[in-house]
C-alpha cells in the first residue's frame, strides 16, 4: 500500500519501521520541533529523526486545516493514512483523503482509556490488563470502529518505559497484520457506555498525597516514572521508584530511615523509596542519597 504515516514520539517509531519494511511510506507527518533542556534548543521528534534516516520526506505543519496542507497531502495519492501517537485530532478533510481511510494504533483496549495518555492512566489506575487497538478513525476522539486488538498484562512492579516498549512493539505487529487483512475485517463499533477518558498529564497529576494508600501512590510513581513528586522537609523531590513495604507501619507522611533504607508512611500502608531525585540533582538510589544526606 501507498501510506502516509503520522506520529511523533518514540512510541510511534516501531510502527513506522514496520510500515517501511512492508509497504511504501510516501511521507511522514509529525509535530514541530520543540525546545528542550536548559538551553531550550529545538529538538526534532523521534519519528522525524527515524524518517530522515530512511530518506522519507517529513512534513511538520503547525496546523492541519489549511487548504494548502490538505492539497499537499492529496498530491501523494495515498491508499491509507496510518496514525500512531501523532498528538493532534485529524480534521475531516484529512480523514476523507485516502482510498481506504485513516487507521490508528491506540495504546489501550478501546473503548477504555480514550484520549492522550492511555498508558500512564492505565498504570495509575492499577489496571492489570491493557493492550493496543487498531481502529478506523472518525471525527471523534478515539471513537472509531475497531479493527483489531491485542492484550498486554501489567505486572505489579512494571514501570512506564517497560509497558510503553511492549505496547509499541505489539502495536506495530498488529498494525501490519491488520493492513494485510483490511478487506476481510468487519469493523466493530465501540460501546460508549464502557468508555472512559485518559486526559493529558499535568504537573498536578504527579503530586503525591501521602494520605492515599501505598498501592495508589506506588501506581502513580510507576505510571509516571519521573513525573511523580513530593515535598519532603520543604524540598521538592521527584520520586522515581517505590516498593510497598510490609516491614513497618507509619503514619501518613512519617519518615523512617532504617540503615540504608528510606520509608514513608501513607494513609494505608508504608512505601519504601527506592529511587529519588533531590532538587538540582541527579536521580539516585535511596542508599546512595542517604549516604550523603541526613533525613528525619
Amino acid at each position: 500500500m501507498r501510506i502516509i504515516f503520522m506520529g511523533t514520539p518514540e512510541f510511534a517509531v516501531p510502527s513506522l519501521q514496520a510500515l517501511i519494511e512492508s509497504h511504501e511510506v510516501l511521507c511522514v507527518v509529525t509535530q514541530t520541533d520543540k525546545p528542550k533542556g536548559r538551553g531550550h534548543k529545538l529538538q526534532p521528534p523521534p519519528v522525524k529523526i527515524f524518517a530522515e534516516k530512511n530518506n522519507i520526506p517529513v512534513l511538520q505543519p503547525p496546523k492541519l486545516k489549511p487548504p494548502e496542507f490538505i492539497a499537499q497531502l492529496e498530491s501523494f495519492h495515498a491508499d491509507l493514512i496510518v496514525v500512531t501517537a501523532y498528538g493532534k485530532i485529524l480534521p475531516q478533510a484529512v480523514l476523507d483523503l485516502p482510498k481506504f481511510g485513516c487507521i490508528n494504533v491506540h495504546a489501550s483496549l478501546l473503548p477504555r482509556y480514550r484520549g492522550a495518555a492511555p498508558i500512564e492512566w492505565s498504570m495509575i489506575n492499577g489496571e492489570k490488563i491493557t493492550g493496543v487497538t487498531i481502529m478506523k478513525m472518525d471525527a471523534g476522539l478515539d471513537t472509531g470502529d475497531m479493527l483489531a486488538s491485542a492484550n498486554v498484562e501489567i505486572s505489579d512492579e512494571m514501570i512506564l518505559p517497560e509497558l510503553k516498549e511492549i505496547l509499541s512493539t505489539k502495536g506495530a505487529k498488529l498494525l501490519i497484520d491488520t493492513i494485510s487483512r483490511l478487506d476481510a475485517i468487519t469493523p466493530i463499533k465501540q460501546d460508549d457506555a464502557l468508555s472512559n477518558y485518559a486526559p493529558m498529564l499535568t504537573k498536578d497529576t504527579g503530586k503525591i498525597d501521602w494520605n492515599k494508600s501505598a498501592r495508589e501512590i506506588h501506581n502513580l510513581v510507576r505510571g509516571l516514572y519521573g513525573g511523580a513528586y513530593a515535598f519532603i522537609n520543604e524540598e521538592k523531590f521527584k520520586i522515581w521508584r517505590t516498593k510497598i513495604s510490609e516491614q513497618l507501619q507509619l503514619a501518613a507522611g512519617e519518615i523512617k530511615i532504617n540503615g540504608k533504607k528510606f520509608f514513608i508512611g501513607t494513609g494505608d500502608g508504608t512505601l519504601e523509596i527506592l529511587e529519588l531525585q533531590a532538587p538540582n540533582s541527579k536521580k539516585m538510589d535511596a542508599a546512595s542519597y542517604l549516604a550523603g544526606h541526613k533525613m528525619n
Side-chain angles (χ1 to χ4, degrees):
M1 282 213 185
R2 291 169 55 82
I3 292 172
I4 292 172
F5 182 77
M6 304 179 75
T8 302
E10 191 66 41
F11 181 87
V13 170
S15 290
L16 176 56
Q17 182 176 3
L19 289 172
I20 290 170
E21 292 169 356
S22 306
H23 297 275
E24 183 183 357
V25 180
L26 306 169
C27 77
V28 161
V29 182
T30 189
Q31 293 210 36
T32 55
D33 297 2
K34 297 286 194 298
K36 283 189 178 180
R38 291 183 179 178
H40 298 289
K41 185 178 178 182
L42 287 177
Q43 296 289 326
V47 161
K48 177 182 178 179
I49 295 170
F50 189 81
E52 289 180 339
K53 283 181 181 177
N54 286 273
N55 300 311
I56 296 171
V58 176
L59 307 179
Q60 294 179 279
K63 295 183 180 179
L64 300 179
K65 289 185 178 180
E68 56 270 22
F69 173 69
I70 304 297
Q72 188 177 19
L73 280 190
E74 191 173 15
S75 70
F76 286 100
H77 303 290
D79 297 317
L80 184 70
I81 291 178
V82 173
V83 181
T84 305
Y86 174 55
K88 290 184 179 181
I89 295 176
L90 273 57
Q92 193 65 46
V94 173
L95 295 173
D96 292 340
L97 279 179
K99 179 181 176 182
F100 294 102
C102 304
I103 63 173
N104 175 246
V105 182
H106 186 75
S108 79
L109 295 174
L110 291 170
R112 300 292 292 168
Y113 295 99
R114 295 170 176 170
I119 307 175
E120 290 87 349
W121 284 108
S122 65
M123 297 194 84
I124 292 168
N125 290 341
E127 300 287 359
K128 301 295 185 184
I129 295 176
T130 186
V132 285
T133 304
I134 311 295
M135 69 167 184
K136 193 170 178 66
M137 297 178 72
D138 62 17
L141 181 62
D142 301 325
T143 55
D145 293 351
M146 300 178 291
L147 302 173
S149 64
N151 290 9
V152 170
E153 290 187 12
I154 307 175
S155 69
D156 287 346
E157 303 307 319
M158 186 180 282
I159 57 174
L160 182 64
E162 295 169 346
L163 183 55
K164 278 188 174 181
E165 184 176 354
I166 293 168
L167 289 170
S168 65
T169 302
K170 182 156 282 196
K173 291 178 181 177
L174 188 63
L175 170 65
I176 300 305
D177 177 66
T178 302
I179 293 174
S180 71
R181 301 183 297 111
L182 208 50
D183 287 340
I185 295 174
T186 301
I188 300 170
K189 289 197 175 297
Q190 294 188 40
D191 185 346
D192 290 343
L194 299 177
S195 71
N196 68 335
Y197 184 55
M200 289 184 69
L201 302 169
T202 68
K203 285 186 178 180
D204 286 343
T205 307
K207 188 175 182 180
I208 294 173
D209 178 357
W210 298 112
N211 292 303
K212 290 187 174 182
S213 70
R215 172 59 62 187
E216 287 176 291
I217 297 169
H218 178 63
N219 288 341
L220 179 72
V221 169
R222 68 197 187 98
L224 294 180
Y225 194 64
Y229 64 92
F231 288 91
I232 301 172
N233 295 338
E234 299 183 356
E235 287 192 298
K236 184 178 178 180
F237 283 78
K238 284 185 178 181
I239 308 299
W240 284 81
R241 294 190 79 155
T242 55
K243 177 183 176 183
I244 296 174
S245 172
E246 307 295 336
Q247 298 179 28
L248 298 169
Q249 288 299 318
L250 303 173
E254 182 184 354
I255 295 172
K256 175 76 173 178
I257 306 302
N258 189 351
K260 294 182 178 180
K261 293 190 174 183
F262 184 169
F263 299 93
I264 299 184
T266 74
D268 181 10
T270 299
L271 278 179
E272 181 181 353
I273 308 299
L274 300 178
E275 292 180 356
L276 72 167
Q277 185 174 354
N280 303 312
S281 184
K282 294 181 179 180
K283 176 179 71 169
M284 60 180 69
D285 62 81
S288 298
Y289 182 80
L290 291 172
H293 300 81
K294 195 172 184 180
M295 302 291 290
N296 49 39

